[in-house]
Amino acid sequence: MMMCKRATELMSQRLDRPLSWTEKVSLTFHLSMCGACKQCNRQFELLHQAGQRLDGERCPQEEESDRE
Amino acid sequence: METSIPVSPNDREERMRRLSAVRPRLLSFARLQLRDHSLAEDAVQEALAAAIDKDASFSGRSGYETWVFGILKYKILDSLREQKRRGHWRPLEEELDEEAIDRQFQQSGRWQPSARPADWGDPEGALNQEHFWQVFDSCMIALPENIARVFSLRELMGLSTEEICRETGIKENNCWVILHRARLRLRACVEKGWLAEDKS
């Protein structure tokens, strides 16, 4: 059975390349049994979104900031 | 292409105002990526100049800041290429910090009890909080330079790992390893800063 460290590798790579079928299955299986990795997976996804958010979408706040 | 729509003075003025409003964000974005204040200043300066210069080629109002960020990304890439050409940064091969990652796991490959990821609550909520971004920024700055560079090319600039290989000369496999480490480190760092504040 896959261990957490390996599972985090796959969670990370999933954001950068398509996983193979076997990788997908073993990751899904691991995630269904491991709460800590499930959290980790969510956090990787959040960091992934955060990077994309960093430019355009965060700016409109800036434009509304009150100017004295 | 609507390249020659006349821009009324009002529009121009409004855009200038928005440019100066967005400047601090451009700067901190460039700094995260270039990790050098004066290089970041230069890139932002060039991006602003280009934005003013190409003002007429911007069509549509809503995405103006996004458009400017797009220009900045090109300037940042130029700057990185220039640094690479001058030999100012050497694409890492082996000096990866295995140790920092190993500390998060037991020999068996399970999480160390002290490093087990905690629940961050509502992720969307996090992204909407200024404090989250402060923590995120400071954790990005704390990443070792080489790791941070690959991570931000991927996540901030949106390059594919294939493109990153081309830019940096590292192998794709290595790229995945670096991104994995970057994410584990960022995760741990953000969790510390984010939840610590939350509980106090």
Side-chain angles (χ1 to χ4, degrees):
Chain A
M1 147 124 184
M2 186 170 57
M3 281 299 145
C4 302
K5 191 175 177 188
R6 173 67 185 149
T8 64
E9 285 170 23
L10 292 181
M11 289 172 215
S12 173
Q13 289 181 23
R14 201 170 60 141
L15 302 171
D16 307 316
R17 68 167 175 94
L19 296 185
S20 75
W21 187 80
T22 331
E23 287 171 331
K24 257 186 233 167
V25 171
S26 48
L27 179 60
T28 310
F29 182 67
H30 183 94
L31 287 177
S32 72
M33 319 234 317
C34 178
C37 282
K38 220 180 287 171
Q39 294 298 346
C40 184
N41 189 43
R42 274 200 210 143
Q43 294 161 7
F44 279 6
E45 278 167 7
L46 181 71
L47 293 173
H48 186 63
Q49 285 175 35
Q52 294 164 352
R53 243 356 137 78
L54 207 55
D55 47 19
E57 285 188 47
R58 269 182 86 201
C59 301
Q61 292 183 344
E62 215 75 33
E63 93 191 81
E64 274 157 19
S65 67
D66 36 330
R67 301 157 59 82
E68 259 108 81
Chain B
M1 280 292 236
E2 314 150 281
T3 44
S4 53
I5 291 177
V7 181
S8 78
N10 279 348
D11 277 358
R12 265 194 85 96
E13 244 169 68
E14 165 67 5
R15 285 177 198 168
M16 293 303 226
R17 192 192 68 72
R18 286 170 73 163
L19 278 185
S20 65
V22 79
R23 194 176 182 285
R25 275 248 61 88
L26 294 172
L27 194 58
S28 66
F29 181 84
R31 219 165 30 213
L32 280 183
Q33 180 70 54
L34 294 167
R35 302 173 77 87
D36 177 289
H37 192 78
S38 68
L39 287 177
E41 285 273 3
D42 290 349
V44 169
Q45 222 36 57
E46 282 177 30
L48 291 176
I52 294 166
D53 207 39
K54 293 184 197 149
D55 191 63
S57 70
F58 170 71
S59 53
R61 229 179 108 91
S62 57
Y64 187 64
E65 281 80 4
T66 308
W67 180 72
V68 178
F69 262 98
I71 298 176
L72 178 64
K73 286 181 180 179
Y74 278 105
K75 299 296 176 193
I76 289 173
L77 267 185
D78 283 348
S79 175
L80 285 175
R81 287 180 188 134
E82 180 61 25
Q83 286 180 69
K84 193 178 157 218
R85 194 160 45 233
R86 293 198 198 159
H88 285 181
W89 70 283
R90 221 154 286 131
L92 53 156
E93 279 300 335
E94 287 319 318
E95 38 129 351
L96 297 167
D97 60 337
E98 193 73 61
E99 221 181 291
I101 299 311
D102 284 346
R103 248 180 280 134
Q104 297 194 28
F105 295 95
Q106 303 173 29
Q107 203 85 52
S108 64
R110 291 176 203 275
W111 292 99
Q112 287 287 2
S114 57
R116 280 174 69 89
D119 189 349
W120 290 5
D122 165 34
E124 267 304 305
L127 291 181
N128 288 327
Q129 291 190 40
E130 199 46 42
H131 177 240
F132 173 84
W133 292 101
Q134 287 162 6
V135 173
F136 181 84
D137 282 7
S138 63
C139 289
M140 279 290 296
I141 297 283
L143 282 181
E145 178 155 353
N146 279 331
I147 291 186
R149 198 144 260 175
V150 173
F151 181 81
S152 49
L153 283 172
R154 174 76 191 103
E155 300 287 44
L156 274 50
M157 309 274 286
L159 267 55
S160 69
T161 47
E162 203 185 335
E163 290 167 316
I164 295 173
C165 297
R166 228 175 299 137
E167 291 295 334
T168 61
I170 59 179
K171 296 192 196 79
E172 198 166 25
N173 203 38
N174 217 338
C175 210
W176 290 327
V177 171
I178 294 165
L179 288 169
H180 174 232
R181 296 195 177 154
R183 290 182 178 121
L184 278 177
R185 290 180 76 122
L186 267 182
R187 188 213 72 70
C189 177
V190 168
E191 180 164 304
K192 232 192 241 167
W194 174 237
L195 294 185
E197 188 79 6
D198 231 28
K199 278 174 191 152
S200 61

